[in-house]
């Protein structure tokens, strides 16, 4: 019993010493870190995608800290997993909002969580930077605390109309997913397309994100495609549904060209779809084709340098998502540098809103109090899948 | 264009997916016949078969047939472990408890697979090219024919196992009369173990055959498992023939329903059919040796 007590005391004192040693360097740092909350689905269906986002953010934060941080303050990521669960995403968001040291929350990545975290951001007054594009519903709310980092559905649809004009497609059939972003991409294509004289038919048949077989829906669409002499099918979707649609279409012998969304710009799409993906065209962010950008493109040096850093550290090149991670971290860096005096959430928000001509990987960001999407149509390029890789295509009158 | 003209196309698509439901249903029935346990991790065997093959093929650079064989063996081992570690310790508990345990095992298997092999969907190359064959003006993917062939081979194998071989009869005996079987020297635990091995093997094979058509991701086992269960009940719970018939019926009806109602309701159709069958004919299409409809 006596020996046990002595043992316990030793263990206790040792652990206290260890704890002290561990906290020592932090308390001795010159300036307190700027904390960034990260709320991502690191487990669940999008785990791999979210890990990429995390990896790129960690890399860029370490780079900033190695250079001495922002005005001497290091950046610190506080990472929480939401497990692709709305409840946990909301709980993480609330937790971050209550923690006065956290200035900004990055994430979620998923479209169906953004309405909730935006509401919490607005209620508790904390900046929320969201990876997925905004949708018409959340834009209508005119919220001041949330920012979107990806190209909005409006830009993508406008660029897609350009693609149809360049290719001379007169009639496009849309096969949309049943979630809000996929639906709004379809609606905007119809609106902008019809202004330019393109007939857009939105199919009543939709698909769910988890559908493993679209053959029945496509069989139902096949007569319409043949009767209406449709020039192209627009798969307004994301995730594995894209390659499944292409594969099922080709198996059914539907040979018309396929148009995709910017969600098609990921390597795993080509791996999943194989030959069926050949010839698919879509507008996407510039990080999809870092080395095929124009020599005088303003964001080309950023993307190439970032791509090489990613390859050196993680053995994977840059893609749209890691590009967004880069943009988030450097946008914050840029805004933090412009903050005068003690940085508060409100000051940082105003600084972010005043971001002008910021050159990131995805494009040139211009936020304002009315525009929280930042990008413009110039930040998209046309991509074609050819020879099992992404190839940039250019048209005379359209970039 | 009337909905009827779509029927031949929808039929071929329904037959393929029906074959898969049938294979999953066969796995359910095999275990139930031996042990009266409903193994809800059955869909997970299918998922693991596809994903482990992918892992060997892409990660290990092992040739396709060998990778598939290794995956089947590995999944059989997982099936045996499931019996030894989860079902065997609960052999004295009521039927409900092993059922819950297999449900837990299914969640465990799918999440572990997500952690080890990643959560993005995987696809295997088709066995014989992607170019669709034209049969009577209807394009059919060659892989669909492979799936059909495999289903019939497995069905025949299981039929021989359960009706022509001593092992199969012993398995059934230990299920219908555990005490009597023990008295004549049949080890019930061994029989249950064999049943888990067989159904894991069937599941893994199904996974390998379907991954070239339908992508397999770490969580795709759950829905397949449920549909397979519905198919097994639909056809006649506890009969191999019933499982196959139920599988094809479900696949075809599900696919055909698209011609008449919006495709968003496709998944619900399976469960509506199940309810209707249970109201009208609780024994399933072929009748079930385990369900006594007089009670209804």
């Amino acid at each position: 019993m006596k020996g046990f007590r002595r043992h316990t005391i030793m263990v206790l004192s040792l652990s206290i010493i260890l704890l002290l040693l561990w906290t020592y360097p932090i308390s001795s740092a010159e300036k307190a870190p700027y904390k960034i909350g990260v709320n991502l689905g690191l487990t669940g269906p999008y785990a791999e995608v979210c890990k990429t986002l995390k990896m790129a953010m960690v890399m860029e934060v370490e780079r900033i800290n190695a250079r001495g941080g922002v005005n001497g303050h290091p950046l610190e990521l506080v990472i929480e997993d939401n497990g692709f669960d709305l409840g946990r995403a909301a709980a993480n968001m609330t937790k971050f909002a209550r923690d006065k040291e956290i200035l900004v929350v990055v994430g979620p990545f998923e479209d169906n969580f953004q309405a909730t975290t935006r509401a919490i951001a607005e209620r508790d007054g904390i900046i929320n930077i969201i990876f997925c594009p905004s949708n018409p519903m959340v834009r209508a709310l005119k919220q001041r605390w949330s920012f979107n980092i990806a190209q909005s559905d409006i830009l993508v649809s406008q660029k897609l109309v350009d693609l149809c004009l360049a290719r001379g497609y007169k009639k496009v059939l849309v096969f949309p997913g049943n979630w809000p972003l996929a639906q709004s991409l379809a609606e905007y294509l119809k609106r902008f397309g019809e202004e330019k004289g393109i007939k857009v038919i939105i199919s009543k048949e939709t698909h769910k994100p988890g559908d493993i077989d679209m053959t029945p829906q496509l069989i139902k669409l096949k007569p319409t495609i043949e009767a209406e002499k449709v020039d192209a099918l627009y798969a307004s979707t994301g995730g594995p549904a894209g390659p499944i649609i292409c594969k099922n279409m080709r198996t059914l012998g539907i040979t018309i060209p396929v148009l995709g969304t910017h969600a098609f710009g990921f390597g795993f799409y080509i791996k999943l779809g194989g030959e069926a993906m050949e010839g698919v065209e879509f507008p996407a962010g510039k990080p999809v084709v870092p080395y095929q950008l124009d020599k005088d493109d303003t964001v080309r040096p950023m993307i190439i340098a970032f791509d090489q850093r990613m390859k050196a550290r993680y053995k994977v090149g840059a893609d749209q998502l890691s590009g967004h991670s880069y943009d988030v971290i450097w946008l914050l860096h840029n805004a933090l540098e412009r903050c005068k005096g003690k940085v508060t959430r409100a000051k940082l928000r105003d600084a972010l809103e005043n971001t002008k001509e910021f050159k990131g990987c995805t494009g040139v960001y211009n936020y304002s109090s009315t525009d929280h999407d930042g990008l413009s149509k110039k930040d998209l390029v046309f991509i074609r899948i050819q020879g099992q890789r992404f190839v940039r295509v250019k048209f005379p009158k359209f970039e | 264009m009337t909905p009827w003209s779509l029927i031949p196309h929808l039929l071929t698509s329904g037959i393929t997916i029906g074959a898969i439901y049938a294979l999953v249903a066969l796995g359910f029935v095999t275990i139930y016949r031996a042990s009266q346990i409903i193994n809800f991790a059955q869909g997970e065997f299918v998922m693991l078969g596809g994903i482990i093959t992918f892992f060997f093929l892409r990660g290990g650079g092992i040739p396709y047939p060998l990778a598939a064989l290794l995956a089947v063996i590995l999944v059989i081992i997982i099936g045996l472990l499931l019996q030894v570690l989860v079902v065997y310790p609960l052999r004295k508990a009521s039927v409900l408890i092993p059922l819950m345990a297999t449900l837990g095992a299914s969640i465990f298997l799918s999440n572990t697979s997500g952690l080890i092999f990643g959560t993005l969907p995987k696809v295997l190359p088709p066995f014989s090219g992607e170019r669709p064959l034209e049969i009577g003006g209807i394009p059919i993917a060659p892989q669909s024919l492979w799936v059909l062939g495999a289903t019939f081979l497995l069905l025949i194998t299981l039929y021989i196992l359960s009706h022509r071989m001593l092992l199969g009869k012993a398995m059934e005996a230990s299920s219908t009369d555990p005490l009597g079987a023990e008295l004549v020297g049949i080890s019930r635990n061994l029989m249950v173990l064999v049943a888990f091995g067989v159904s894991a093997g069937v599941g893994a094979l199904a996974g390998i055959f379907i991954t070239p058509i339908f992508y397999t991701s770490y969580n795709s086992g759950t829905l397949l498992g449920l549909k397979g269960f519905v198919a097994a009940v639909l056809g006649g719970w506890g009969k191999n023939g019933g499982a196959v018939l139920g599988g094809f019926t479900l696949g075809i009806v599900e696919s055909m329903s698209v011609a008449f109602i919006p495709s968003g309701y496709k998944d619900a159709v399976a469960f509506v059919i199940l309810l209707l069958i249970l109201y009208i004919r609780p024994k399933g299409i072929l009748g079930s040796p385990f369900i006594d409809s007089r009670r209804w």
Side-chain angles (χ1 to χ4, degrees):
Chain A
M1 194 61 199
K2 216 175 187 182
F4 172 72
R5 196 170 291 161
R6 200 187 301 148
H7 192 74
T8 325
I9 291 166
M10 254 183 69
V11 168
L12 263 177
S13 47
L14 255 176
S15 50
I16 289 170
I17 291 170
L18 272 175
L19 258 175
L20 281 175
L21 276 176
W22 182 57
T23 49
Y24 179 72
I26 293 178
S27 56
S28 79
E30 283 171 51
K31 288 178 174 174
Y34 292 138
K35 290 192 179 175
I36 302 167
V38 178
N39 182 7
L40 287 174
L42 296 168
T43 52
Y46 295 116
E48 269 160 285
V49 173
C50 289
K51 270 178 204 149
T52 312
L53 289 171
K54 187 186 101 177
M55 277 173 0
M57 281 197 280
V58 168
M59 184 174 85
E60 293 306 298
V61 163
E62 284 176 8
R63 203 162 142 252
I64 289 175
N65 291 345
R67 290 172 160 193
V70 188
N71 304 327
H73 294 269
L75 296 181
E76 187 187 329
L77 294 176
V78 184
I79 299 166
E80 291 282 348
D81 170 26
N82 66 33
F84 195 62
D85 180 89
L86 182 59
R88 275 170 76 189
N92 288 345
M93 188 68 199
T94 312
K95 198 177 127 196
F96 285 138
R98 300 275 153 85
D99 184 344
K100 290 295 167 220
E101 286 193 8
I102 295 200
L103 292 170
V104 42
V105 180
V106 178
F109 162 70
E110 297 85 357
D111 182 36
N112 40 353
F113 297 172
Q114 67 166 323
T116 309
T117 63
R118 276 164 168 272
I120 298 171
E122 211 63 21
R123 185 190 70 196
D124 292 352
I126 185 166
I127 306 163
N128 188 198
I129 302 182
I130 296 155
F131 282 106
C132 62
S134 57
N135 60 43
M137 181 188 75
V138 296
R139 273 197 300 274
L141 297 173
K142 294 204 171 45
Q143 292 167 326
R144 293 218 51 206
W145 288 93
S146 32
F147 294 82
N148 288 82
I149 199 87
Q151 304 89 344
S152 73
D153 44 0
I154 298 181
L155 296 184
V156 174
S157 305
Q158 284 171 341
K159 192 79 179 168
L160 204 65
V161 171
D162 285 354
L163 184 60
C164 294
L165 290 173
R167 282 279 176 216
Y169 299 147
K170 290 271 169 281
K171 245 184 211 174
V172 178
L173 178 71
V174 189
F175 179 42
N178 65 353
W179 55 96
L181 185 61
Q183 296 278 339
S184 77
L185 279 165
E187 292 296 334
Y188 279 119
L189 183 76
K190 191 174 170 74
R191 190 192 301 173
F192 299 134
E194 283 177 355
E195 283 170 12
K196 298 275 160 96
I198 299 168
K199 189 171 180 216
V200 178
I201 309 163
I202 300 178
S203 126
K204 282 191 194 70
E205 298 299 317
T206 57
H207 56 270
K208 292 194 285 287
D211 274 1
I212 56 169
D213 183 20
M214 317 281 180
T215 315
Q217 288 100 311
L218 291 167
I219 288 172
K220 220 170 158 184
L221 291 181
K222 200 179 173 185
T224 321
I225 294 172
E226 281 159 6
E228 294 267 347
K229 295 205 170 46
V230 170
D231 294 315
L233 184 133
Y234 173 36
S236 168
T237 185
I244 296 176
I245 294 171
C246 297
K247 243 181 144 170
N248 292 161
M249 267 179 77
R250 299 308 181 221
T251 307
L252 284 173
I254 304 173
T255 51
I256 58 168
V258 178
L259 300 171
T261 63
H262 49 331
F264 278 50
F266 296 104
F268 86 93
Y269 255 64
I270 301 184
K271 269 188 224 155
L272 281 180
E275 276 176 41
M277 296 300 288
E278 282 296 307
V280 174
E281 291 180 326
F282 53 91
K286 290 175 178 172
V288 177
V289 282
Y291 298 91
Q292 297 173 38
L293 297 173
D294 297 338
K295 290 275 181 269
D296 59 345
D297 199 315
T298 46
V299 300
R300 183 184 156 107
M302 255 78 73
I303 302 178
I304 289 186
F306 176 65
D307 184 62
Q308 281 160 354
R309 282 203 296 282
M310 284 292 285
K311 277 181 183 148
R313 177 154 174 184
Y314 299 115
K315 313 247 175 329
V316 290
D319 60 17
Q320 292 189 90
L321 288 165
S322 51
H324 289 325
S325 292
Y326 173 101
D327 296 341
V328 167
I329 297 299
W330 288 95
L331 268 168
L332 286 172
H333 177 267
N334 175 288
L336 283 165
E337 271 191 332
R338 281 185 281 117
C339 284
K340 293 197 173 59
K342 192 182 182 311
V343 176
T344 60
R345 289 172 179 176
K347 266 190 202 169
L348 183 59
R349 196 266 320 266
D350 293 340
L352 255 182
E353 272 190 349
N354 285 321
T355 303
K356 291 283 172 284
E357 293 295 315
F358 169 82
K359 295 183 190 77
C361 265
T362 313
V364 181
Y365 285 87
N366 285 301
Y367 284 123
S368 70
S369 54
T370 47
D371 177 15
H372 277 203
D373 288 308
L375 293 164
S376 69
K377 203 168 77 174
K378 274 183 243 142
D379 301 315
L380 287 160
V381 286
F382 298 125
I383 312 276
R384 180 184 172 86
I385 297 175
Q386 202 171 320
Q388 299 292 294
R389 51 189 288 271
F390 295 119
V391 178
R392 185 179 174 199
V393 280
K394 281 163 79 174
F395 300 98
K397 263 182 261 166
F398 308 95
E399 254 310 292
Chain B
M1 187 56 87
T2 61
W4 297 106
S5 63
L6 303 172
I7 295 289
H9 289 87
L10 289 169
L11 190 68
T12 50
S13 139
I15 287 173
T16 316
I17 199 148
I20 292 145
Y21 295 157
L23 287 178
V24 181
L26 274 177
F28 272 107
V29 170
T30 309
I31 288 181
Y32 191 81
R33 280 161 72 101
S35 64
Q36 309 234 334
I37 290 169
I38 300 170
N39 171 31
F40 273 114
Q42 190 59 39
E44 264 34 76
F45 293 149
V46 180
M47 176 274 292
L48 284 172
I51 284 189
I52 294 176
T53 310
F54 176 86
F55 175 71
F56 282 134
L57 194 67
R58 288 278 171 277
I62 299 167
Y64 205 163
L66 193 62
L69 185 68
L70 280 177
V72 173
I73 293 171
L74 208 62
V75 176
I76 291 180
I77 293 172
I78 293 170
L80 298 179
L81 282 178
L82 181 70
Q83 200 273 332
V84 173
L85 298 177
V86 178
V87 178
Y88 179 74
L90 296 173
R91 64 196 179 281
K92 296 218 169 69
S94 74
V95 187
L96 197 62
I97 288 161
L99 189 142
M100 296 313 288
T102 58
L103 204 58
S106 126
I107 295 169
F108 171 80
L109 286 175
S110 83
N111 283 316
T112 315
S113 154
L115 280 176
I116 299 175
F117 304 111
T119 52
L120 288 180
K122 315 274 187 285
V123 66
L124 288 169
F127 296 174
S128 51
E130 289 190 43
R131 202 155 295 281
L133 307 169
E134 285 261 339
I135 298 176
I138 299 162
I140 295 171
Q143 190 66 26
S144 304
L145 299 179
W146 279 101
V147 171
L148 279 181
T151 310
F152 283 112
L153 269 182
L154 281 172
L155 178 64
I156 292 167
T157 316
L158 285 178
Y159 178 82
I160 293 172
L161 177 72
S162 60
H163 292 267
R164 290 281 178 274
M165 279 167 74
L166 193 60
L167 182 65
K169 292 196 169 165
M171 278 162 74
E172 208 169 332
S174 83
S175 164
T176 39
D177 188 355
L179 183 65
E182 292 272 5
L183 285 175
V184 296
I186 300 168
S187 163
R188 179 174 148 78
N189 293 323
L190 186 69
M191 289 307 119
V192 179
L193 189 68
V194 171
F196 266 85
V198 169
S199 82
V202 171
L205 278 171
I208 294 164
F209 276 89
I210 65 161
T211 308
I213 314 180
F214 307 111
Y215 306 133
T216 302
S217 62
Y218 79 109
N219 57 1
S220 56
T222 318
L223 193 63
L224 272 181
L226 271 179
K227 295 277 182 70
F229 180 65
V230 171
V233 175
L234 189 63
W237 182 236
K239 277 192 175 166
N240 281 347
V244 173
L245 186 69
F248 281 111
T249 314
L250 186 64
I252 292 168
V253 172
E254 221 180 68
S255 180
M256 296 278 211
S257 69
V258 174
F260 306 99
I261 59 171
S263 51
Y265 299 107
K266 204 171 66 168
D267 285 333
V269 168
F271 299 100
V272 171
I273 296 171
L274 180 70
L275 273 183
L276 287 180
I277 287 283
L278 289 182
Y279 289 148
I280 299 160
R281 194 175 157 79
K283 288 166 76 150
I285 301 171
L286 291 187
S288 162
F290 298 106
I291 296 171
D292 185 358
S293 58
R294 278 170 303 178
R295 261 182 279 160
W296 294 70

